[in-house]
Amino acid sequence: GEVLEQLTTAGADVIKTVGHEAAEVVQHKYGEEAGKAAKEGAQIVHNSYRTAVNVKTVTRPSKLLKSTAKETGKQTVLQLMTQEEAARDDAAASGPPLKAASDEAAEAAGT
């Protein structure tokens, strides 16, 4: 999952950097026009790589759905745990429950 995603991103960065540097060499050796063509070609290669990666992700919806469901479940559990902690903290801060006026009247009457 996450490691593969990072490798994919790193691959795109390598393709972009190598293409840019190669285009700089072409421009230096063959001139401005050739350099511009090389830069456009490098951009096409980079965009093609990113498109291929995106298509692969979209064509595997079960993996996408699974990772989305897993992350949603984690976030839901964390949110519920946070709410429970807040409720416990509020209860502890407010002290023991107050007696209702009817309870106090019943105690005074001795019942």
Side-chain angles (χ1 to χ4, degrees), residues 13-42:
D13 290 344
V14 167
I15 289 171
K16 186 175 184 178
T17 301
V18 169
H20 176 75
E21 295 302 320
E24 290 291 321
V25 170
V26 168
Q27 180 177 344
H28 179 72
K29 189 168 185 176
Y30 298 106
E32 187 74 31
E33 196 170 316
K36 183 178 177 184
K39 286 178 185 177
E40 289 174 2

Side-chain angles (χ1 to χ4, degrees), residues 4-20 42-43 45-51 53:
L4 182 59
E5 189 175 314
Q6 290 176 353
L7 286 172
T8 302
T9 301
D13 290 344
V14 167
I15 289 171
K16 186 175 184 178
T17 301
V18 169
H20 176 75
Q43 187 64 44
V45 170
H46 178 257
N47 290 342
S48 298
Y49 175 80
R50 296 299 301 178
T51 300
V53 168

Side-chain angles (χ1 to χ4, degrees), residues 22-23 27 35-36 40 42 49 56 59 75 78 80 84 103:
Q27 180 177 344
K36 183 178 177 184
E40 289 174 2
Y49 175 80
K56 186 175 181 181
T59 58
Q75 292 302 320
L78 288 173
L80 290 173
E84 285 180 11
D103 291 341

